[in-house]
Amino acid sequence: MLARLAENLFWAGRYVERAEDAARMVDVTYHTLLESSSAEVTAPWGQLLDVLHLRAVYGDRPVEPAAVIQFLVLDRDNPGSITTSILRARENARSVRELISSELWEAVNNLHLSLASRDLRRDLADQPYELFGMIRRACMGIYGVASETMPRDEGWRFMALGRVLERAEMTCRLIDVRYQQLEELAGPSRRLTGGDGARPRGADRADFHHWIAVLKSASAFEAYRRRYRSSMDPADVVEFLLLEPDLPRSVVFCLSGAMHQLQALSQGGPSRAVRALGRVTASLQYRDVAELFELGLHPFLDEVQERVADVSEAVADEFFRRHPSGLMHAIATT
């Protein structure tokens, strides 16, 4: 496969995943803060910009809910906005139409045309839940169409690889940013401190709802409740989103999936990207959550994000045309 075509498929997968993640997180943040006072909403919206790696792009503008939502949904100058992500996914898909199914092209194109035909400002003002739901369902439909209509050839694997690497970085940043916020609010994990934490935690505190929002941001709330029942201990949430091998949006699940695709693309040969991915995957697969807290969760997650970005750079060096260093990060500026 030509390097240019492989790269376009890789980025098509990343952009669709980016749009879906942004739609879900904006939706969850908006509805979580509906009854909050104006003084309480600035920090969560600013943290969402950090999760989506768009704080620098947003700049020094006031962090006001309406402005942030418009920036994340319809700002064409924002490389991480939903409309920009879908536009770029469509451009990448159009450039490889001979390699993808007509059904997949129609799914991507229809989402782009649907967004272009709507009055998005009015939708955000009148029915944001319906808009975000439509975007999430359409993005998941794109994955479903790709899964059901494309052979498991190189094209499929590059698209799937882009999707899971984007998702791994996004989930990692979600845990990192939100945990720092909620640790200040809720105190340490009782599970890890044996109930001797300086401050209480649990379902009777406001942080219960914030942890639910974190889980919903990763489409993991119902699965979490089936596993941990009524517990909302921070260590349980972190363990589930980071280390759960069967959760589609956990970091370790995404990295394991990326390894499967990358090994097939490398055909078992020596590969810098496979070695880099193997190291970061192993650093998670054989960890206990208590060990991560002892190491320091924030520096550990920072390192995981850097290593995943290194994997993307190695993939670009190995399979695509040359890129300036740093452009393969989850929220690229190209």
Side-chain angles (χ1 to χ4, degrees):
M1 174 178 288
L2 293 174
R4 175 180 58 81
L5 302 180
E7 182 180 19
N8 290 348
L9 284 160
F10 178 87
W11 278 107
R14 293 198 77 143
Y15 283 128
V16 174
E17 177 65 29
R18 187 173 302 172
E20 184 197 345
D21 291 342
R24 179 180 299 101
M25 292 184 192
V26 173
D27 187 21
V28 170
T29 303
Y30 173 83
H31 287 95
T32 301
L33 299 174
L34 270 181
E35 297 182 2
S36 300
S37 67
S38 57
E40 296 173 318
V41 302
T42 300
W45 282 109
Q47 288 152 3
L48 179 60
L49 291 171
D50 292 333
V51 172
L52 297 173
H53 211 266
L54 292 170
R55 175 78 81 163
V57 182
Y58 190 78
D60 297 329
R61 287 170 279 183
V63 180
E64 298 172 347
V68 174
I69 291 173
Q70 293 194 11
F71 171 76
L72 294 177
V73 175
L74 52 83
D75 190 339
R76 293 296 179 90
D77 295 326
N78 170 13
S81 75
I82 292 171
T83 51
T84 302
S85 296
I86 295 302
L87 173 63
R88 291 183 172 177
R90 177 181 180 269
E91 290 172 348
N92 281 282
R94 183 174 60 178
S95 70
V96 294
R97 284 192 63 178
E98 70 277 17
L99 297 177
I100 63 175
S101 65
S102 58
E103 291 93 339
L104 176 56
W105 161 248
E106 288 170 4
V108 177
N109 192 43
N110 286 343
L111 176 55
H112 167 71
L113 294 177
S114 176
L115 290 175
S117 67
R118 300 174 72 120
D119 185 340
L120 293 177
R121 292 182 188 275
R122 174 173 293 181
D123 287 346
L124 289 175
D126 296 342
Q127 47 187 3
Y129 179 78
E130 190 277 333
L131 174 64
F132 296 134
M134 182 279 290
I135 295 169
R136 292 198 315 273
R137 290 190 296 273
C139 290
M140 289 188 284
I142 289 170
Y143 304 144
V145 168
S147 177
E148 294 300 315
T149 61
M150 288 184 67
R152 292 332 188 234
D153 56 10
E154 289 183 329
W156 157 263
R157 295 190 186 284
F158 277 115
M159 191 171 177
L161 179 63
R163 177 164 61 94
V164 290
L165 287 178
E166 177 81 19
R167 184 179 293 182
E169 271 201 75
M170 198 70 80
T171 302
C172 213
R173 259 199 319 275
L174 172 69
I175 300 169
D176 192 15
V177 172
R178 294 303 194 191
Y179 182 80
Q180 290 182 61
Q181 168 211 357
L182 292 171
E183 185 181 35
E184 296 176 3
L185 176 68
S189 161
R190 177 164 292 183
R191 168 182 164 184
L192 300 181
T193 60
D196 295 324
R199 285 173 290 177
R201 65 93 195 148
D204 58 330
R205 292 182 54 89
D207 61 282
F208 181 90
H209 299 287
H210 289 289
W211 283 117
I212 289 176
V214 172
L215 290 163
K216 287 184 174 179
S217 295
S219 279
F221 177 60
E222 289 84 2
Y224 177 89
R225 291 298 298 270
R226 285 193 291 273
R227 171 66 63 85
Y228 295 93
R229 304 295 180 183
S230 61
S231 166
M232 202 54 72
D233 191 284
D236 292 340
V237 178
V238 170
E239 180 179 62
F240 197 59
L241 294 180
L242 196 59
L243 304 177
E244 173 55 47
D246 296 323
L247 180 71
R249 292 187 179 277
S250 79
V251 177
V252 76
F253 182 95
C254 294
L255 296 181
S256 299
M259 177 60 80
H260 175 71
Q261 305 302 345
L262 197 50
Q263 285 178 329
L265 290 167
S266 301
Q267 299 180 334
S271 164
R272 181 166 70 89
V274 170
R275 288 195 296 273
L277 182 56
R279 285 192 290 271
V280 66
T281 305
S283 73
L284 288 163
Q285 285 178 325
Y286 303 105
R287 294 280 191 189
D288 179 81
V289 68
E291 188 180 351
L292 297 182
F293 279 85
E294 289 174 6
L295 290 171
L297 186 63
H298 175 61
F300 179 81
L301 292 173
D302 266 354
E303 184 178 352
V304 171
Q305 291 172 62
E306 290 174 5
R307 288 187 178 189
V308 174
D310 290 342
V311 171
S312 297
E313 295 283 354
V315 169
D317 290 341
E318 189 169 341
F319 296 105
F320 309 151
R321 62 174 182 260
R322 296 294 301 174
H323 277 268
S325 178
L327 291 188
M328 297 299 290
H329 200 280
I331 299 296
T333 55
T334 58

